[in-house]
Amino acid sequence: MTPPPLRYPLPTIVILVVLTILGWRGRDWLAAASASVWAGIERLRSGPPFPESNEPIRVGGPILRKVLLLRDGVEATDVPEGKPVETISRRIFADVYDIWPLSGEPTHYRIGNRRPIGWVEAGVVLPWNTRLVLCPTGSSLTMRADPGDREVSPLSLDSVPFPVLDWSSEAVRVAVWEPSEPWSKVQRRGWIRIQDVPPETFGVLVTRYELLELLRLAIEPTRDDSPPGRMMAVLGMLGSESRLNNEQREAARRQLPGEILGVRSIGDDSVEEQLGRINEGWNPDVSWSGIAFQAIPLTAIPAP
């Protein structure tokens, strides 16, 4: 029996077979390929992935990068401008785990304590790694936009303590509060030369519990492994279970402003007497989350 003649050339038949197979299986292949392509396009459009660190950022030695929440009820999101994951009901000092963007001025911080909570906008926090402040003394100082600027603006220290945000060997950078919203809204930031600041003006923000811990350290004989009270107060670590070894202490000293950390007591009274009077006349400067804080002069704290 003679087979029927082929009506189409062999290449055409091969193409038809391939197209038939593609029509049968190609839908799945095309969907997979399309998903891969769109995922690549989405990655390009969204930019690099957001960081997800498990440990807080270290400035140097034991010093962590920290922020102060400026109000209650801050929503934390899964990514910058993302979905809310938790509401931080009360103001806190928080550790910084990540910043965004990775370079330039941060627009968002990923914060938490003991664990990351989520991302918050830069406008609702004050970057403040220590508890250093300029205390109200009635003095009048001059502030510069940059340490080397000649143009100055007056600054009166007659009301609320100013957080010390940064420093160099010659100047400190402070945050000045909006008069109508102290501790909640920053009016401006600027630099003040250390040589212009009276030693007793430098202080640290402490709780009543931390003040009592300072008093205990001043009264009790200091053991070799005891943390230096002033350094621990500046770092906000008073009363914590953490202990600094010699290497960590030296690293902290290298990072902290030595001209400030080393100021000595003024007058004939001992630090025990000065701290005792502060405790008896406890008068908080601010209170949030049910915890009161008062700025006390560094000259009343045992030097490291």
Side-chain angles (χ1 to χ4, degrees), residues 196-209:
D196 297 336
V197 182
E200 66 273 15
T201 302
F202 287 112
V204 63
L205 198 69
V206 299
T207 65
R208 187 71 174 276
Y209 172 78

Side-chain angles (χ1 to χ4, degrees), residues 51-239:
E52 294 183 351
S53 303
N54 294 320
E55 297 293 333
I57 298 173
R58 290 194 176 275
V59 177
I63 305 176
L64 301 179
R65 190 162 185 171
K66 291 179 175 289
V67 295
L68 169 66
L69 285 178
L70 296 177
R71 58 180 174 83
D72 298 335
V74 174
E75 282 193 344
T77 57
D78 55 349
V79 297
E81 304 294 345
K83 297 178 181 178
V85 293
E86 188 171 334
T87 298
I88 307 173
S89 59
R90 294 185 179 276
R91 301 182 60 172
I92 57 171
F93 286 98
D95 298 334
V96 176
Y97 286 76
D98 298 289
I99 60 172
W100 189 259
L102 299 178
S103 61
E105 189 71 19
T107 62
H108 293 80
Y109 294 86
R110 184 166 171 261
I111 66 171
N113 280 325
R114 298 186 180 87
R115 67 172 181 88
I117 297 175
W119 292 90
V120 298
E121 295 181 352
V124 300
V125 298
L126 176 70
W128 189 13
N129 301 331
T130 70
R131 299 277 194 85
L132 277 174
V133 295
L134 290 186
C135 299
T137 61
S139 302
S140 181
L141 302 173
T142 55
M143 188 168 69
R144 294 166 168 79
D146 290 299
D149 281 358
R150 293 186 176 181
E151 185 176 348
V152 300
S153 58
L155 179 64
S156 179
L157 298 178
D158 57 2
S159 55
V160 184
F162 300 141
V164 175
L165 309 180
D166 199 0
W167 51 81
S168 68
S169 59
E170 299 179 351
V172 293
R173 185 170 180 255
V174 301
V176 179
W177 301 112
E178 187 74 37
S180 60
E181 299 181 74
W183 298 103
S184 297
K185 186 175 181 180
V186 176
Q187 181 189 69
R188 54 181 173 152
R189 295 173 172 87
W191 291 83
I192 301 173
R193 291 180 178 173
I194 294 176
Q195 66 181 16
D196 297 336
V197 182
E200 66 273 15
T201 302
F202 287 112
V204 63
L205 198 69
V206 299
T207 65
R208 187 71 174 276
Y209 172 78
E210 292 169 333
L211 174 61
L212 294 176
E213 180 67 11
L214 283 172
L215 189 57
R216 184 189 67 79
L217 289 173
I219 294 174
E220 292 182 357
T222 303
R223 305 187 313 270
D224 291 340
D225 62 345
S226 293
R230 184 178 295 184
M231 180 182 293
M232 298 295 279
V234 168
L235 297 181
M237 297 176 66
L238 278 170

